[in-house]
Amino acid sequence: MNKIKIRINDIVCRGEKGQTVLEIAKDNGIYIPTLCNYEGIKPQGSCRICTCMIGGRMMTACTTPALDGMDIVTNSDELEKFRATIVELLFAEGNHFCPTCERSGNCELQALGYRYKMMVPQFPYSFAAKDIDADNPKIMIDHNRCILCKRCIRRKKEKDNPNWFVFKKRGAKVQINIDHELTADFTDKLAQQAMDTCPVGAIIRKEKGFDVPIGERKYDKNPIGSDIEGLKE
Ligand code: FES
């Protein structure tokens, strides 16, 4: 018996053993915000934006396996406030200047800022001095925009697709850097793949960042999460 039933926001949702709470919610038309999670990459539960009340405790939906009979709340005021605070912290901690960013309109962080109606973060901006690595002919990485979700490093590696990014420094100073040796012969296709893995505008494919004009991009047209089939929000 691999089928299980759980309750999400008082709706009975069906899924299978081995699925996470996030996966079952999505399959049943319930949106839970995510940032560090990306389909096809093992979840790591670092950004905490998908936190839900699972069996009365705050837990990340992307890493919690669903168990038959579980009771889950995804959308209480407390949870939405908690998520809005995470978004505000990320904006305060990085240097995110959306109007000039190539990912504007396609950025998951910006889209969550709109979702939570963020105007000015309640925290002071850190304005930390961060650099940009633009030495590669096809891609660049802008550390000002990186939220350290590590999706680029955690993505599935294949033979022709090794890890193009590496950690540099440790602790609070940790940085994601381009492996210049492995990306020396980067094609446009691989550069696009790297850019797509990034939820924000940290990894940018050179000269192509504005291919789709601002105003016609994914989240310019529809809010984040609205692409979920049969959305029940
Ligand atoms: Fe679940 Fe980041 S999406 S912790």
Side-chain angles (χ1 to χ4, degrees), residues 22 33-37 44-51 60-63:
L22 180 73
T34 57
L35 268 177
C36 70
N37 195 62
Q44 81 167 6
S46 62
C47 76
R48 321 306 286 179
I49 199 105
C50 69
T51 299
T60 48
C62 69
T63 52

Side-chain angles (χ1 to χ4, degrees), residues 85-97 118-128 130:
T85 305
I86 293 175
V87 173
E88 288 184 25
L89 272 170
L90 289 170
F91 269 99
E93 198 271 331
N95 299 314
H96 300 278
F97 303 109
M118 197 195 86
M119 298 301 282
V120 177
Q122 56 180 301
F123 308 101
Y125 287 105
S126 72
F127 291 127
K130 299 185 186 191

